[in-house]
Amino acid sequence: MKPVLLVIAHGSRDPRHAATVHALVRRVRSLRPDVRVETGFLDFNIPSAQGVLESLAAEGVRDVVALPLLLTRAFHAKADIPAVLRDAPPQLRIRQAEVLGPSPLLLSALERRLYEAGLTPADKSSTGVVLASAGSTDPEAIAVIADIAREWRHTGWCAVRPAFASAALPRTEDAVRELRALGCAKVAVAPYVLAPGFLPDRIARGAAGADVLAEVLGPAPEVARVLLRRYATASARVLLPVSA
């Protein structure tokens, strides 16, 4: 039997967050109806990731791929989720998949959202883009966002600048002003976030001076495909049972 895919999301008091996570999981299920996909949250929402793991063990499930619904390897991926998995029922064999980013498919999803917001491929060479992420105190995560911005710039945009809603600088509004000063004919903000919530709302407020604000990545088909690639890679890893 294929391992159960447990998608572990952060959770939020904002109901839009859980609704978006569930929409993405529905798309994943539609792409791979042969794989059982469950959803658990670290905080604020139910079911909890720990509760789902206990339920799976009670059903007799043995193999699980735990996939962090995160775009970068920051605190939640390095500490919170491993802690939950260490406390899982011992009869479960659990592989932790890699986070979703970076991936060329996610860049495709970002462009999809920009075009849905009104840009066209003909606008690329004259448009500066703010790659706006939630932000992190983890230097690895910040460096990854900067690397993605540099890579995306090489696909034909006038300029791409990273920005952060918290914990790091610059803020979205500062990056928008910088792109204006560079002489970009248009400025667009592309939220590099998976679901709506407090920090994405802050990004939106910072985009007030931009010409275009894209939607969050949400249940974009490219995101679902990345998720399934991470699942496939983790499933292929050999893992010895925790207990007999």
Side-chain angles (χ1 to χ4, degrees), residues 9-218:
H10 180 270
S12 171
R13 292 186 178 91
D14 189 321
R16 297 172 297 167
H17 175 90
T20 302
V21 170
H22 290 309
L24 174 59
V25 169
R26 285 195 296 272
R27 185 179 288 275
V28 171
R29 289 184 180 130
S30 72
L31 292 174
R32 285 293 304 272
D34 58 319
V35 174
R36 179 177 175 181
V37 186
E38 300 290 345
T39 308
F41 296 89
L42 292 175
D43 206 354
F44 302 117
N45 302 109
I46 56 173
S48 68
Q50 183 67 35
V52 174
L53 290 167
E54 291 171 358
S55 295
L56 291 173
E59 289 180 31
V61 170
R62 295 284 284 174
D63 292 293
V64 176
V65 168
L67 191 148
L69 195 61
L70 302 167
L71 294 172
T72 59
R73 268 182 48 79
F75 183 79
H76 297 305
K78 294 177 178 179
D80 286 347
I81 290 177
V84 170
L85 301 183
R86 284 194 298 270
D87 289 338
Q91 63 267 40
L92 293 175
R93 293 185 292 253
I94 303 175
R95 302 165 176 86
Q96 181 176 334
E98 294 297 326
V99 297
L100 301 184
S103 167
L105 281 171
L106 294 178
L107 287 181
S108 296
L110 288 166
E111 295 210 2
R112 169 195 288 274
R113 293 301 189 223
L114 286 172
Y115 296 148
E116 289 171 349
L119 291 180
T120 70
D123 294 318
K124 287 188 77 167
S125 63
S126 60
T127 300
V129 179
V130 178
L131 179 68
S133 76
S136 173
T137 57
D138 189 307
E140 178 187 348
I142 297 301
V144 166
I145 299 300
D147 288 344
I148 293 170
R150 283 192 291 270
E151 179 182 348
W152 203 14
R153 164 68 181 85
H154 294 315
T155 67
W157 295 101
C158 175
V160 180
R161 294 290 185 271
F164 308 94
S166 67
L169 296 174
R171 295 286 185 257
T172 302
E173 53 268 34
D174 298 326
V176 169
R177 284 193 291 267
E178 181 184 350
L179 291 173
R180 290 281 187 214
L182 282 175
C184 299
K186 291 183 179 180
V187 176
V189 174
Y192 190 59
V193 292
L194 288 167
F198 176 75
L199 292 178
D201 284 349
R202 181 179 288 178
I203 290 171
R205 291 192 296 272
D211 301 292
V212 172
L213 170 63
E215 293 292 328
V216 299
L217 293 171

Side-chain angles (χ1 to χ4, degrees), residues 221-234:
E222 297 89 349
V223 178
R225 287 165 58 197
V226 174
L227 199 152
L228 286 171
R229 287 186 180 183
R230 299 292 185 258
Y231 167 77
T233 300

